[in-house]
Amino acid sequence: KLLSSLNEVTGVPGFSVAVVYKGKLVASVATGFSDIKNELPAKPNTTFRLASVSKVIGATMLAELVNNDQLNPDVSIGQYYPELNKKYHSITVRQLLSHTSGMPHYQIKDYDIYDSHFDTAVEAVNTLKDRDLLSRPGTKYLYSTHGYTLAGALYEKITKQPLTVSVENFITRWSGNETPAIENINDLHERSSRLYELSKMGGSEIAFGEKSYSVFGAGLYASASDLA
């Protein structure tokens, strides 16, 4: 009843909610539509683009490296990634993940990053375009997806594996579920919700732009139950 009322009040086409208690799924419900045009209802196993919720997975994967003594969160990332632009060397992974690195969020110069596909996070570092820091690392909170782009590249440097391999291995190890996984806009999951933007007229379908420029920052998809 609550979710159905939210469909009406907000105009959001579909909702999916899951509750996990002590490691077990105890509730999973969906309302509305995953595809308005074809009148396909949202279901508990419908998958959705996670967008910035991807950061939860990226941060957890890096935390695992800390637990395994592969990464010190308070050591300058230049020690792990020496070929990185020196203006970023003094940043720590703790600062990247807590949005205190000084890295900016999206800027006008980012108009072209949504049209290119990147196979690795190290390759995607090119989208940083040597942008300047907006503040000295550790001094201010500035939300930044680009900080997570850099964090993903750091993960690849430490593990010597692309995120296309590491994300799947991590999820298999910890839950055994199919998702969260890296979104491929050219081969969307068969249960994937269409993508909508919201206006006063309700949800209007829009095209899937690339998010491969920042797998850890925006590039994952999942069902609600798998994510929970």
Side-chain angles (χ1 to χ4, degrees):
K1 288 180 179 179
L2 173 61
L3 287 188
S4 294
S5 67
L6 283 174
N7 286 123
E8 297 173 10
V9 170
T10 65
V12 172
F15 284 95
S16 183
V17 169
V19 179
V20 167
Y21 179 68
K22 292 186 176 180
K24 293 184 178 181
L25 184 68
V26 296
S28 182
V29 64
T31 61
F33 293 96
S34 63
D35 185 334
I36 296 174
K37 180 181 179 181
N38 294 304
E39 297 185 345
L40 297 179
K43 298 179 179 180
N45 66 353
T46 296
T47 63
F48 297 85
R49 166 175 278 187
L50 292 185
S52 282
V53 179
S54 304
K55 294 178 174 68
V56 176
I57 308 300
T60 306
M61 288 178 64
L62 282 155
E64 182 183 52
L65 296 186
V66 174
N67 283 343
N68 292 342
D69 295 324
Q70 294 173 270
L71 170 65
N72 183 329
D74 299 307
V75 166
S76 300
I77 62 174
Q79 296 189 36
Y80 299 100
Y81 198 164
E83 61 269 45
L84 188 66
N85 188 312
K86 285 186 166 46
K87 68 173 70 176
Y88 308 134
H89 275 209
S90 65
I91 296 171
T92 69
V93 74
R94 189 187 300 276
Q95 291 164 350
L96 284 176
L97 302 187
S98 62
H99 303 284
T100 58
S101 68
M103 289 291 297
H105 195 40
Y106 298 125
Q107 297 174 313
I108 293 174
K109 65 172 72 175
D110 292 323
Y111 69 91
D112 61 342
I113 68 174
Y114 316 105
D115 300 324
S116 301
H117 177 79
F118 299 95
D119 292 322
T120 68
V122 169
E123 180 186 343
V125 164
N126 291 325
T127 63
L128 298 183
K129 302 179 179 180
D130 296 326
R131 65 193 76 216
D132 294 328
L133 299 183
L134 299 181
S135 63
R136 185 165 52 84
T139 61
K140 289 185 179 180
Y141 176 88
L142 296 166
Y143 186 87
S144 173
T145 290
H146 292 310
Y148 274 71
T149 299
L150 189 48
L154 180 65
Y155 190 97
E156 288 186 344
K157 282 292 180 181
I158 292 172
T159 62
K160 296 179 173 57
Q161 282 189 325
L163 293 185
T164 49
V165 173
S166 299
V167 170
E168 183 177 356
N169 287 346
F170 177 81
I171 298 302
T172 298
R173 230 174 26 252
W174 283 99
S175 71
N177 293 330
E178 187 177 13
T179 67
I182 297 175
E183 182 183 77
N184 179 352
I185 66 171
N186 297 311
D187 186 22
L188 293 171
H189 194 282
E190 61 183 358
R191 298 193 307 272
S192 176
S193 170
R194 305 311 300 169
L195 195 61
Y196 298 93
E197 64 179 4
L198 203 58
S199 69
K200 292 181 180 179
M201 303 300 292
S204 301
E205 186 171 347
I206 59 175
F208 280 81
E210 277 283 355
K211 295 292 185 183
S212 60
Y213 63 87
S214 187
V215 168
F216 273 4
L220 303 178
Y221 74 94
S223 67
S225 56
D226 282 359
L227 179 64

